[in-house]
Amino acid sequence: MVSQLTDAFDRKFYYLRLSITDVCNFRCNYCLPDGYKPNANKRFLTLDEIKRVGRGFAELGTEKVRLTGGEPTLRRDFVDIVAAIRENSAIRTLAVTTNGYRMARDVQSWKDAGLTSINVSVDSLDARQFHTITGQDKFRQVMDGIDAGFAAGFNTIKVNTVLMRDVNDRSLTTFLNWIKDRPIQLRFIELMETGEGTDLFRKHHVSGDVIRRQLLEQGWQQRVRDRSDGPAQVFTHPDYQGQIGLIMPYEKDFCLSCNRLRVSAVGNLHLCLFGEQGISLRDLLTDDNQLEALKARIQDKLLTKKQTHFLHQGNSGITQNLSFIGG
């Protein structure tokens, strides 16, 4: 009988976001506008450590793992990591959030290794605006990667779009036309205030409710949420192959349905995605014989998880940029 991770507020946790690197090759203006700054003292989790994280969480009832970064596919052993996580039969969904620049070349190998789901970050369908936002002239490459994902056998691909006032908040029609005949779940994510992004937040933040009202007026209907789903409110329409998801962390009661934990690229357990210091697990990842102690620490620390985040008070803790959040 698999024990199920449960916190003091009776929330059950089926979903792990596992960061495997902080390195990213894009310079998105809301995330890493100056690019990634290497830190010689930072050692990312090894393949063996990642295997032990995956096994520990699988034995605690985790059904879904999402590999994040930075840009996770920059790791040379990315395919090996996918295969290692898939060794756990309890993990039904293994996803990655990527900027998509390597998909056209590598997505088939990811699928063959056991990846089941892909999220690609695309903040604009205009190539010039995409270049301005990301600092990279890779729009065509990313679009080709999405096509390659379908050709490799992924039935649905999720696309993450950070919603920004005066950037893409008036582009709903363009996005809807794009997904009308494509099985893409387009997810609008509200821009979040982080330690380094207060000015950007004040200038560009817009509530996802703006999109929700437009969808409801056009006949879209909200889908029932599954227990291992992420935080998106998902909308469907009979005339569209695609779907729309809305992630609105500032909305009332956002945390009531929390089912996600996070392990950082250096092995810290984060009970909330939005900024607390983290609990080190790395000392329990050096040997397979430490599995029971690892599971016990995760279960014990989960009981200290707060009822809600503190984004409404402008407190993003150690979350200095959106690379911490992932896609």
Side-chain angles (χ1 to χ4, degrees), residues 122 159-161 175 178-179 184-188 243-245:
V122 180
V159 170
N160 293 345
T161 299
F175 282 113
W178 185 50
I179 69 169
I184 289 172
Q185 185 185 113
L186 179 70
R187 296 139 55 88
F188 288 105
Q243 302 173 340
I244 295 289

Side-chain angles (χ1 to χ4, degrees), residues 3-43:
S3 60
Q4 183 58 56
L5 285 170
T6 306
D7 72 1
F9 304 97
D10 203 35
R11 293 175 295 195
K12 297 186 184 303
F13 294 80
Y14 300 95
Y15 183 175
L16 172 67
R17 296 176 58 89
L18 176 57
S19 178
I20 58 175
T21 183
D22 290 345
V23 180
C24 188
N25 58 326
F26 278 27
R27 302 188 305 275
C28 295
N29 56 17
Y30 55 81
C31 183
L32 293 172
D34 299 321
Y36 174 75
K37 299 293 190 294
N39 182 343
N41 297 319
K42 185 174 283 190
R43 294 184 305 109

Side-chain angles (χ1 to χ4, degrees), residues 153-222:
F154 289 93
N155 295 325
T156 301
I157 291 176
K158 296 178 180 178
V159 170
N160 293 345
T161 299
V162 176
L163 184 63
M164 293 178 282
R165 184 187 304 279
D166 298 327
V167 176
N168 56 20
D169 61 317
R170 299 175 186 174
S171 302
L172 180 60
T173 299
T174 301
F175 282 113
L176 289 180
N177 289 339
W178 185 50
I179 69 169
K180 185 173 179 61
D181 300 312
R182 293 179 178 86
I184 289 172
Q185 185 185 113
L186 179 70
R187 296 139 55 88
F188 288 105
I189 304 172
E190 279 189 15
L191 183 66
M192 289 168 270
E193 184 175 9
T194 59
E196 297 173 355
T198 297
D199 292 341
L200 187 83
F201 176 82
R202 290 173 179 170
K203 181 178 181 181
H204 292 298
H205 177 263
V206 57
S207 170
D209 186 54
V210 171
I211 302 295
R212 181 168 56 192
R213 289 198 305 268
Q214 294 178 57
L215 292 173
L216 293 174
E217 288 172 0
Q218 296 176 34
W220 290 74
Q221 295 186 332
Q222 189 169 347

Side-chain angles (χ1 to χ4, degrees), residues 255-315:
C255 297
L256 285 181
S257 60
C258 182
N259 64 355
R260 299 184 295 169
L261 297 173
R262 180 180 183 271
V263 172
S264 74
V266 294
N268 292 333
L269 171 66
H270 294 270
L271 303 176
C272 178
L273 270 63
F274 303 106
E276 26 80 14
Q277 291 295 328
I279 301 135
S280 179
L281 301 179
R282 201 157 198 177
D283 60 307
L284 298 178
L285 299 176
T286 58
D287 191 280
D288 291 341
N289 295 326
Q290 297 173 298
L291 180 63
E292 293 304 317
L294 173 66
K295 290 159 58 179
R297 182 178 295 176
I298 295 167
Q299 289 178 310
D300 180 59
K301 296 302 182 181
L302 181 56
L303 295 177
T304 68
K305 180 175 168 64
K306 306 296 184 185
Q307 188 170 18
T308 184
H309 59 56
F310 298 97
L311 291 178
H312 294 91
Q313 288 83 16
N315 181 3

